Amino acid sequence: PGAPATCLLCSLQELFTHYRFGNYSHLPPKEVRKVVGQVFRHMQRFQVDEMDDAAELLDALLEHCHSQAGGSPDMCQSCFVHATFGAELISRSGECQHCHQVGDYVTSFITLLHYFPAKLLIEGSMASNLRQHFESELHTCTNCTAATRQLPIRKHLCNVPPLLAFVIAWEADSVSSGSLLQLTGRIEQELTLEDLFRMSSPSPPTIYHLRGLICFYGSRTSHMGVH
């Protein structure tokens, strides 16, 4: 993978070794922070003592680990990043409520992070709100004469990723402590995969347990983990 000074995989391996076998009150991220600064120095991003978006950093870390592991857009199946985080989705047009025509739009993609706004956690069921959000995309029905007729886009999950990474985005530049407490209190400790996504084929229920949270708003970030 390269010299330790610039090997992101090596520094992450050391960090997770501390996480699994160490008896520390907190994880020592210093070496990872240094390596991240070295890796992205040419882009002037994620430098030590500078503030960056936590979600962008997580996305950049996953993409860089993907490239260090020898991954490519054509070899995602053999890349440990995509094998661990990758959600393989197929988007298909639904039925028009006016003419009942099913659209011909079909596309497939792999996503590592699932973004949603914090307001989805304030009221109602977290799982049902997320499912509605993930299926909120609409396309214009080409069969109807009225341009306002829209087709819902249904997303079908084709695999069961070992980890699901959700990123909660604040829409405001400043958030009160009361709102933060309300949000964290609304986060469910368990989520069933079939409640979040349509499955491309029948499968036994898959339950995910909360292990960590990245929450960002404006230029500030909060990080919480569950051991």
Side-chain angles (χ1 to χ4, degrees), residues 15 21 99 131 149 169 178 205 220:
L15 180 68
F21 301 108
C99 69
R131 181 158 180 163
R149 306 299 185 185
R220 303 289 179 179

Side-chain angles (χ1 to χ4, degrees), residues 144-160:
C144 290
T145 55
T148 57
R149 306 299 185 185
Q150 294 182 317
L151 291 170
I153 302 300
R154 307 302 187 193
K155 290 184 173 65
H156 299 261
L157 185 63
C158 301
N159 68 322
V160 179

Side-chain angles (χ1 to χ4, degrees), residues 5 9 17 20 52 58 61 72 87 94 116 123 126 143 148 152 167 196 198 205-206 215:
L9 289 176
T17 299
R20 183 173 184 180
D52 289 282
L58 178 58
L61 289 177
S72 69
F116 64 89
E123 295 181 358
M126 177 177 174
N143 189 59
T148 57
V167 181
L196 300 173
R198 300 171 189 267
T206 304
C215 181

Side-chain angles (χ1 to χ4, degrees), residues 48 113 196 205:
V48 177
L113 302 178
L196 300 173

Side-chain angles (χ1 to χ4, degrees), residues 132-201:
Q132 291 180 16
H133 174 70
F134 294 147
E135 294 199 341
S136 59
E137 183 181 356
L138 296 171
H139 285 194
T140 300
C141 179
T142 57
N143 189 59
C144 290
T145 55
T148 57
R149 306 299 185 185
Q150 294 182 317
L151 291 170
I153 302 300
R154 307 302 187 193
K155 290 184 173 65
H156 299 261
L157 185 63
C158 301
N159 68 322
V160 179
L163 294 176
L164 283 179
F166 297 104
V167 181
I168 304 172
W170 287 102
E171 297 175 318
D173 291 333
S174 61
V175 180
S176 66
S177 58
S179 296
L180 284 172
L181 289 173
Q182 183 184 18
L183 180 137
T184 54
R186 295 283 302 174
I187 295 175
E188 297 179 13
Q189 300 297 303
E190 294 182 355
L191 288 173
T192 302
L193 186 65
E194 290 72 17
D195 292 338
L196 300 173
F197 300 100
R198 300 171 189 267
M199 304 302 293
S200 60
S201 60

Side-chain angles (χ1 to χ4, degrees), residues 10-161:
C10 298
S11 59
L12 287 173
Q13 182 179 30
E14 181 179 355
L15 180 68
F16 289 125
T17 299
H18 284 300
Y19 177 79
R20 183 173 184 180
F21 301 108
N23 296 314
Y24 300 91
S25 59
H26 64 278
L27 294 178
K30 184 177 180 180
E31 291 305 314
V32 174
R33 194 71 179 90
K34 287 181 179 178
V35 173
V36 167
Q38 289 287 339
V39 168
F40 295 101
R41 174 177 289 181
H42 68 289
M43 302 171 62
Q44 287 301 304
R45 299 181 68 196
F46 315 122
Q47 298 302 296
V48 177
D49 297 327
E50 292 185 6
M51 183 172 291
D52 289 282
D53 187 287
E56 291 180 4
L57 174 58
L58 178 58
D59 185 59
L61 289 177
L62 293 176
E63 289 296 336
H64 189 79
C65 288
H66 166 66
S67 63
Q68 277 197 319
S72 69
D74 299 326
M75 298 176 59
C76 288
Q77 297 296 334
S78 61
C79 167
F80 82 91
V81 173
H82 285 81
T84 304
F85 291 90
E88 302 172 22
L89 292 161
I90 296 178
S91 292
R92 290 192 179 98
S93 300
E95 180 181 295
C96 176
Q97 297 300 310
H98 179 69
C99 69
H100 304 292
Q101 178 75 22
V102 176
D104 58 1
Y105 173 81
V106 178
T107 187
S108 61
F109 60 96
I110 298 176
T111 184
L112 304 177
L113 302 178
H114 307 271
Y115 290 81
F116 64 89
K119 63 182 181 181
L120 295 183
L121 297 182
I122 303 303
E123 295 181 358
S125 165
M126 177 177 174
S128 61
N129 287 346
L130 289 182
R131 181 158 180 163
Q132 291 180 16
H133 174 70
F134 294 147
E135 294 199 341
S136 59
E137 183 181 356
L138 296 171
H139 285 194
T140 300
C141 179
T142 57
N143 189 59
C144 290
T145 55
T148 57
R149 306 299 185 185
Q150 294 182 317
L151 291 170
I153 302 300
R154 307 302 187 193
K155 290 184 173 65
H156 299 261
L157 185 63
C158 301
N159 68 322
V160 179

